[in-house]
């Protein structure tokens, strides 16, 4: 089976935004005037950089408390994990599970997937290319949902303010967690899934 | 398949955009992230404080990673873990202190769990009802540090840096005092009881008190402390007495102190000075009693009302107290005498004792000799009634005049002081004798005689009534008649009266005649011899006509 020629073979470049096939030597899409690249520029390096930065921020995001709860003078600071454990131990396993998935499982999944994609792309591996691109689409979709935690804290902190009776304040950890989410999203955005398939070409 | 013109790449010069650095700028992001993380790690490492382990009896109210350590309500650390001690009698709370709280690792730092407490002295730790317990800390002053501490079960009464002085009081028993009981000076609270423990020999209690500055300057070397707990109601020989310090001290107990009026040593008491805690103000202010001497007395009478602690007085001065009241059996006389044991403090005699002591060394033998002298002079012990209402007795030692001489064995120990019956007993005896005499009077006979006499009298009176009275009446009638007659005689128109008037006239005339005669004779004394002459004849004498005429006219 003969494969269709690559854009590169035809000296064409696809516009990222509107999908217009432009000549290879133009820098701006003649239709929508956005910058045109053959591949996303420095995709691997940028993804690596964002991924590493988010990994670094992920440590304080988990170690530092994200929320300070003051109930009748009984103040306590909770990290993400301690909150999960507290909910789990108090019997609300469903909420514990929700927080665990949104705050711990998803970011970790992202790190793993992005790391795998980056490494396999750099090695030009031809292993499970279709599945890898599916994974990439998955993390692009679930990336937004990782902000759940940040939203919850922001909402509660704004709502629960009863002076001395009880109050909830955000703590530094949630900032780092938000940064982690943003950075992983950036990493996912800067990754070009077409790199997965480039391995085919080189080998061909 | 789209039909694209297959054009070879144009050899025109492509726009080559090169960067000055090969490394992408995007790498700044992880570098910044790493720097931020690193700075946080460094900050954390810098701010991490010492870790200590505090042992408590129970972990009630403590929670790992939650319970805070506070000093002056500032959080200085957190309990990171709680575990059972190896001996299983205690728990170990591992505490992570803040960097700034390094002073709390001094060896004499104290830790205690703050829980809500409600006591007579007040309510504390109410905020912990809602927030849960926390660990209170009080920094020490020691130089060396320590990692393992034994936590206090009760909050310390005084905290670090509190100015004042600590004193130790010795007492026989704790009474109603407790840690936190107030210390009063002139009924103002100036301190509190900090701790107490049994004396080393177990024969008393040592109470530590803390008097706050600046009131600690009122604790002098000779200040007297007494137990001001509760209401002091004493029913003694002097009557009912109620004494109390304040309502709080009634509930929680208290200690009061004051310097005696005859204070000699006015210098300030030293830190940790030791004092005696007296039972009440009176004993506290009394002069030191010195050594007591045990003496005995035998009474042959009932001593109901004499109790242990009844006073012993010498010439009205309280010199001691009764310590025992026991019955004895005298086989010879077959009686039950009462033996009184008493302790006498010679010091209470004041100046008298000083002077007596000067007479000889204050030896027991000397004292016994002195006592012998006094007994020879009539010193006797007597049980006297102190209070007729309560019937309380006290022992009075007095010089009894004309006391029967007794043998006094001055070598006997304890000294036996001779006694005489009490004053009330004496009065009773005299009354008894009087009553005996009274009963010997033959009242029956006297009554019989009196009865006879009264009968006679009755008869006499009847006689008088029957005979004497009628006669008496007759006499009276006669008398009245006589008087009427007399009355008639003196009436205006009675013949007797007229006769009397005539008689009186006659007398008048007679008297005039006599006067005429005497006048005549006065003028003519010769008439007595010659008789009356005719006018102007024999006699040359010319009577004054007037005179004669007057006489004639009369």
């Amino acid at each position: 089976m003969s494969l269709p020629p690559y854009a590169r073979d035809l000296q064409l470049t696809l516009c990222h935004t509107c999908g217009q096939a432009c000549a290879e030597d133009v820098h701006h899409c003649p239709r929508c005037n956005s910058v045109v690249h053959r591949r996303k520029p420095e995709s691997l390096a940028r993804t690596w950089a964002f991924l590493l930065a988010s990994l670094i921020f992920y440590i304080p995001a988990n170690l530092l408390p994200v929320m300070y709860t003051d109930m009748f003078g009984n103040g306590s600071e909770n990290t993400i994990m301690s909150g999960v454990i507290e909910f789990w131990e108090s019997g609300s396993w469903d909420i514990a599970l929700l927080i665990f998935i949104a705050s711990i499982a998803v970011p970790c999944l992202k790190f793993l997937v992005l790391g795998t994609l980056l490494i396999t792309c750099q090695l030009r591996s031809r292993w499970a290319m279709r599945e890898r691109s599916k994974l990439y689409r998955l993390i692009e979709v679930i990336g937004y949902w990782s902000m759940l935690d940040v939203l919850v804290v922001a909402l509660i902190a704004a709502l629960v303010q009863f002076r001395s009776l009880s109050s909830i304040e955000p703590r530094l950890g949630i900032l780092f967690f938000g940064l982690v989410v943003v950075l992983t999203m950036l990493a996912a955005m800067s990754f070009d899934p077409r790199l997965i398939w480039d391995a085919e070409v080189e080998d061909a | 398949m789209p039909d694209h013109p297959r054009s070879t790449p144009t050899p025109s010069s492509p726009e080559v955009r090169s960067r000055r650095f090969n490394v992408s700028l995007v790498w700044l992001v992880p570098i910044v992230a790493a720097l931020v993380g690193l700075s946080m790690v460094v900050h954390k490492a810098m701010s991490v404080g010492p870790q200590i382990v505090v042992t408590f009896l129970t972990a009630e109210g403590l929670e790992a990673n939650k319970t805070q350590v506070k000093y002056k309500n500032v959080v200085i650390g957190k309990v990171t873990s709680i575990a059972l001690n190896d001996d299983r009698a205690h728990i170990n709370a591992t505490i992570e202190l803040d960097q700034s709280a390094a002073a709390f690792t001094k060896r004499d730092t104290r830790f205690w769990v703050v829980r809500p407490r409600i006591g007579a002295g007040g309510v504390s730790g109410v905020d912990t009802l809602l927030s849960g317990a926390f660990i209170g800390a009080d920094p020490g002053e020691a130089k060396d540090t320590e990692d393992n501490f034994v936590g206090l079960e009760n909050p310390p009464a005084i905290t670090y840096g509190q100015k004042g002085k600590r004193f130790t009081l010795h007492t026989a028993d704790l009474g109603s005092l407790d840690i936190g009981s107030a210390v009063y000076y002139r009924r103002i609270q100036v301190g509190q009881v900090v701790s107490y423990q049994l004396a080393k020999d177990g024969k008393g209690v040592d109470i530590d008190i803390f008097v706050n500055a600046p009131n600690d300057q009122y604790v002098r070397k000779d200040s007297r402390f007494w137990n001001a707990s509760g209401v002091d109601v004493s029913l003694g020989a002097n009557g009912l007495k109620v004494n109390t310090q304040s309502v709080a001290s009634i509930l929680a107990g208290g200690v009061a102190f004051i310097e005696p009026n005859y204070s000699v040593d006015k210098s300030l008491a030293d830190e940790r000075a030791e004092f005696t805690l007296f039972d009440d103000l009176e004993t506290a202010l009394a002069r030191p009693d010195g050594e007591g001497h045990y003496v005995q007395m035998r009474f042959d009478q009932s001593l109901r009302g004499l109790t242990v602690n009844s006073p012993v007085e010498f010439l009205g001065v309280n010199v001691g107290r009764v310590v025992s009241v026991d019955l004895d059996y005298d086989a010879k006389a077959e009686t039950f005498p009462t033996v009184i044991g008493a302790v006498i403090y010679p010091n209470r005699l004041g100046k008298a004792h000083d002077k007596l002591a000067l007479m000889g060394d204050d030896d027991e033998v000397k004292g016994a000799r002195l006592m012998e002298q006094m007994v020879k002079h009539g010193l006797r012990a007597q049980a006297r009634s102190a209070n007729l209402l309560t019937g309380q007795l006290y022992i009075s030692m007095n010089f009894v005049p004309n006391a029967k001489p007794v043998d006094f064995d001055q070598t006997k120990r304890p000294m036996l002081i001779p006694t005489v019956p009490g004053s009330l007993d004496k009065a009773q005896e005299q009354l008894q004798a009087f009553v005996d005499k009274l009963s010997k009077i033959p009242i029956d006979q006297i009554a019989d005689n009196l009865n006879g006499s009264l009968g006679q009298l009755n008869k006499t009176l009847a006689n008088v009534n029957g005979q004497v009275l009628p006669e008496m009446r007759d006499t009276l009638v006669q008398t009245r008649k006589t008087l009427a007659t007399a009355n008639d005689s003196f009436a205006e128109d009675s013949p007797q009266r007229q006769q009397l008037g005539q008689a009186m006239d006659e007398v008048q005339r007679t008297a005039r005649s006599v006067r005429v005669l005497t006048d005549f004779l006065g003028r003519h004394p010769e008439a007595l011899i010659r008789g009356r002459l005719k006018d102007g004849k024999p006699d040359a004498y010319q009577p004054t006509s007037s005179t004669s005429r007057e006489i004639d006219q009369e």
Side-chain angles (χ1 to χ4, degrees), chain B residues 53-215:
Chain B
V53 176
V54 184
T55 309
F56 290 105
L57 267 184
T58 165
E60 182 193 346
L62 301 183
E63 269 181 87
N65 285 324
K66 205 161 218 179
T67 306
Q68 293 167 326
V69 183
K70 290 184 183 179
Y71 172 64
K72 288 186 191 289
N73 236 0
V74 172
V75 178
I76 57 166
K78 203 164 78 170
V79 174
T80 52
S81 76
I82 297 170
L84 263 185
N85 200 346
D86 292 339
D87 62 3
R88 276 169 289 170
H90 295 87
I91 60 109
N92 290 337
T94 309
I95 293 172
E96 228 163 60
L97 290 174
D98 293 349
Q99 178 72 36
S100 58
F104 290 84
T105 56
K106 300 271 171 69
R107 194 169 44 80
D108 53 351
T109 303
R110 291 169 296 177
F111 295 93
W112 67 96
V113 181
V114 179
R115 301 188 177 99
R117 278 170 215 280
I118 299 169
V123 182
S124 68
V126 177
D127 49 340
T128 61
L129 273 177
L130 296 174
S131 67
F134 63 87
I135 292 179
D138 192 36
E141 290 168 317
K143 293 239 166 61
D144 42 348
T145 57
E146 173 78 51
D147 288 339
N148 292 295
F149 294 90
V150 177
L152 306 176
E153 293 310 310
N154 290 302
I158 49 167
T159 49
Y160 173 74
Q162 212 169 343
K163 288 204 173 74
K165 275 182 190 163
R166 230 173 226 271
F167 303 106
T168 306
L169 307 179
H170 301 296
T171 180
D173 63 67
L174 187 62
S176 55
L177 293 176
D178 199 355
I179 290 172
S181 291
V183 176
Y184 296 95
Y185 177 67
R186 298 186 188 277
R187 289 204 161 83
I188 292 175
Q189 184 175 349
V190 295
Q192 55 194 325
V193 173
V194 175
S195 70
Y196 55 82
Q197 63 273 329
L198 276 177
K200 283 202 179 87
D201 58 356
K203 288 181 177 171
V205 182
D206 290 345
I207 300 174
D208 279 357
I209 62 164
F210 186 83
V211 180
N212 299 325
N215 293 323

Side-chain angles (χ1 to χ4, degrees), chain A residues 144-162:
Chain A
Y144 314 108
W145 292 99
S146 298
M147 275 305 210
L148 190 74
D149 247 29
V150 184
L151 286 171
V152 165
V153 171
L155 258 179
I156 290 180
L159 286 178
V160 186
Q161 291 291 348
F162 303 114

Side-chain angles (χ1 to χ4, degrees), chain B residues 319-359:
Chain B
V319 294
R321 58 193 180 86
V322 173
V323 292
S324 68
V325 180
D326 298 307
L327 268 188
D328 194 10
Y329 178 65
D330 189 345
K332 239 186 263 174
E334 293 189 340
T335 55
F336 291 92
T338 315
V339 178
I340 304 294
V343 173
I344 287 173
Y345 302 98
N347 278 15
R348 287 196 189 170
L349 292 173
K351 279 185 179 164
H353 171 258
D354 298 342
K355 283 181 183 168
L356 287 172
L358 278 180
M359 286 158 62

Side-chain angles (χ1 to χ4, degrees), chain A residues 4-5 10-12 25 27 42 45-46 48-50 52-53 56-57 60 64 71-76 86 172 176 183, chain B residues 1 4-10 15 17 19 22 24 26-27 29-30 32-34 36-37 40 66 68 127 130-132:
Chain A
L10 305 172
Q11 275 114 40
L12 286 177
D25 51 351
H27 291 110
E42 295 173 341
R46 284 186 191 183
W48 268 122
F50 286 126
L52 283 178
I56 292 169
F57 281 148
L64 289 181
M71 286 279 185
F72 303 110
N74 182 9
S76 65
E86 206 164 279
L172 203 57
F176 285 105
L183 286 174
Chain B
M1 181 179 279
H4 288 295
R6 282 198 173 246
S7 59
T8 50
T10 48
E15 283 182 49
R17 304 173 92 206
R19 285 214 183 89
N22 260 342
S24 166
V26 82
W27 284 104
V29 177
V32 167
V36 168
M40 285 180 67
K66 205 161 218 179
Q68 293 167 326
D127 49 340
L130 296 174
S131 67

Side-chain angles (χ1 to χ4, degrees), chain B residues 289-293 344-347 364:
Chain B
D289 283 337
E291 202 185 340
H293 293 286
I344 287 173
Y345 302 98
N347 278 15
E364 183 127 11

Side-chain angles (χ1 to χ4, degrees), chain A residues 6-8 12-17 19 36-41 43 121 124 129 132-133 136 191-201:
Chain A
Y6 284 89
R8 187 172 48 226
L12 286 177
T13 313
L14 271 184
C15 171
H16 296 300
T17 317
V36 185
H37 304 99
R38 266 176 56 202
R39 294 282 179 269
K40 283 180 185 169
S43 174
C121 285
R124 299 187 168 273
M129 288 189 287
R132 269 152 58 197
S133 61
Y136 174 75
F191 181 76
D192 199 332
R194 284 175 291 188
L195 290 170
I196 301 170
W197 307 103
D198 279 351
E200 265 180 353
V201 182

